[in-house]
């Protein structure tokens, strides 16, 4: 026990520690891991959930125009099959590969005929199971005849909305379901036409 007149011992002076090189290296590794995780999540989202696409032709005019940018969602068709009216993105089937298209090129068309339906085009109208369908979304009526043909199991009949300027099923045949990448869900460019498709 010290007396009252005894001075307290001075506290040792503390100096700031120099920057630790291992801490710098640790931060760099942490940032690298964060970047790797972000890139991996982005890649997984693109593969399994959704991806952006660009419209290079006017085959879907007036619904889609050259330069439109879309989000293609890939989840819906894991739970329910594609249906009439869906606008889908797909890889070229064998018939188009023969014409020189590659697997990494993608097409976009509208589903018109589902498996088991009878499709016919005549007199400027498209018929499903012998009934004409109302098509307010097309640029003009088709100027050709096709069918009648039954859509095979696990395949679809697809057409561009610009009926007379579209490389679609009336030229190369049915689309296998396995070639479908996903459904065009949202237009994000240009801003003035932003919204669901």
């Amino acid at each position: 026990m010290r007396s009252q007149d005894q001075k307290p011992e001075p506290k040792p002076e503390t100096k700031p520690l120099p920057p630790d090189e291992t801490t710098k290296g640790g931060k760099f590794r942490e940032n690298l891991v964060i970047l790797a995780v972000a890139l991996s999540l982005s890649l997984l989202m693109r593969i399994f959930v959704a991806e952006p696409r660009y419209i290079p032709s006017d085959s879907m005019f007036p619904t889609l125009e050259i330069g439109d940018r879309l989000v293609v969602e890939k989840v819906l068709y894991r739970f329910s099959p594609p249906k009439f009216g869906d606008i889908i993105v797909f890889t070229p089937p064998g018939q188009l590969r023969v014409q020189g298209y590659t697997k990494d090129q993608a097409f976009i068309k509208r589903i018109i005929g589902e498996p088991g339906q009878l499709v016919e085009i005549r007199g400027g109208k498209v018929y499903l199971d012998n009934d004409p369908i109302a098509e307010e979304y097309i640029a003009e009526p088709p100027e050709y005849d096709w069918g009648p043909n039954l859509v095979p199991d696990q395949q679809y009949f697809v057409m561009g909305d610009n009926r007379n300027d579209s490389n679609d099923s009336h030229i190369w045949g049915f689309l296998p379901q396995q070639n479908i990448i996903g459904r065009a869900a949202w237009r994000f460019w240009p801003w003035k036409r932003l919204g669901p498709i």
Side-chain angles (χ1 to χ4, degrees), residues 79-150:
F79 303 101
S80 61
K83 63 183 187 309
F84 172 82
D86 286 356
I87 296 176
I88 59 166
V89 173
F90 57 92
T91 57
Q95 310 91 300
L96 285 170
R97 302 260 183 89
V98 172
Q99 296 176 21
Y101 292 96
T102 60
K103 189 176 182 179
D104 62 343
Q105 290 177 291
F107 278 62
I108 185 165
K109 305 292 176 200
R110 186 185 296 272
I111 291 180
I112 299 300
E114 298 177 43
Q117 289 186 309
L118 186 70
V119 179
E120 183 178 9
I121 304 167
R122 60 179 159 82
K125 290 188 179 297
V126 178
Y127 293 80
L128 280 183
D129 297 326
N130 298 314
D131 293 324
I133 59 174
E135 298 189 294
E136 65 282 351
Y137 45 76
I138 63 173
E140 57 189 6
E143 296 172 350
Y144 49 82
D145 292 343
W146 186 91
N149 286 301
L150 195 67

Side-chain angles (χ1 to χ4, degrees), residues 1-10:
M1 193 169 174
R2 70 171 191 254
S3 63
Q4 299 222 346
D5 59 343
Q6 191 178 6
K7 292 182 180 177
E9 291 179 20

Side-chain angles (χ1 to χ4, degrees), residues 67-81:
D68 282 359
R69 285 172 169 75
L70 319 171
V71 174
V72 177
E73 71 86 15
K74 303 177 175 184
V75 177
L76 178 66
Y77 295 152
R78 296 180 195 280
F79 303 101
S80 61

